[in-house]
Amino acid sequence: MTPLEMLRVHPFLAGLPDEWLPRLTGYARPVVWHPGHRLFRAGQQADRFWLVRGGQVALDFPVPGRGDVGIETIGPGGVLGWSWLFPPYRWQFGAVATQRSTAVELDADGVRRLMESDDTLGRQLTTRFMSVVVDRLQASRVRLLDLYGYPTAAAS
């Protein structure tokens, strides 16, 4: 399957006009990760993002005294990475493959240039990524409540 075909079938890009996909393809390449491969850590430079095609990738964040704490697992059809879209372009979370995984990797700098040159494409992608941001922040909130939630009155 070519990168263009991979973009065409990924749910994140569903409904985008067909003429936009070849432009994105210029910044796309297929990748494979094996279990345990660390893609990035919180605080590192965010210079790409991925459309997950198969397998699973766990998102985590460092918690003092606890190490890397899992937040969420991203599987087929999911999007990995949004920090590339907003300065200072640093990862807010970390990610590690938990299974053999396949994805389409997109170069952030190239996609940002495309978005800046085409307002309609830029709005479409920004709106889609904002949905990802909201989902990730909600998952983080739920996970933090699991870790640090206040005890109930019945527990005291």
Side-chain angles (χ1 to χ4, degrees), residues 43-57:
Q44 291 178 329
Q45 180 182 1
D47 58 359
R48 65 198 75 205
F49 67 96
W50 300 268
L51 304 178
V52 179
R53 299 184 57 237
Q56 288 187 331
V57 177

Side-chain angles (χ1 to χ4, degrees), residues 40-143:
F40 53 85
R41 290 194 179 277
Q44 291 178 329
Q45 180 182 1
D47 58 359
R48 65 198 75 205
F49 67 96
W50 300 268
L51 304 178
V52 179
R53 299 184 57 237
Q56 288 187 331
V57 177
L59 292 178
D60 56 27
F61 62 94
V63 175
R66 292 187 187 225
D68 293 328
V69 174
I71 302 170
E72 181 178 11
T73 301
I74 310 302
V79 177
L80 183 58
W82 53 263
S83 300
W84 65 273
L85 192 54
F86 307 103
Y89 310 120
R90 298 278 174 204
W91 294 117
Q92 299 300 306
F93 303 110
V96 63
T98 59
Q99 299 176 355
R100 182 184 183 280
S101 302
T102 58
V104 178
E105 179 179 277
L106 288 108
D107 174 71
D109 191 49
V111 173
R112 280 194 304 265
R113 283 194 310 271
L114 277 178
M115 293 170 68
E116 290 167 6
S117 71
D118 185 329
D119 288 338
T120 306
L121 172 62
R123 270 192 309 278
Q124 268 294 321
L125 290 178
T126 299
T127 298
R128 291 167 190 242
F129 273 103
M130 285 309 298
S131 178
V132 172
V133 171
V134 169
D135 288 347
R136 296 286 146 71
L137 292 177
Q138 178 64 12
S140 298
R141 180 179 135 333
V142 168
R143 185 65 175 126

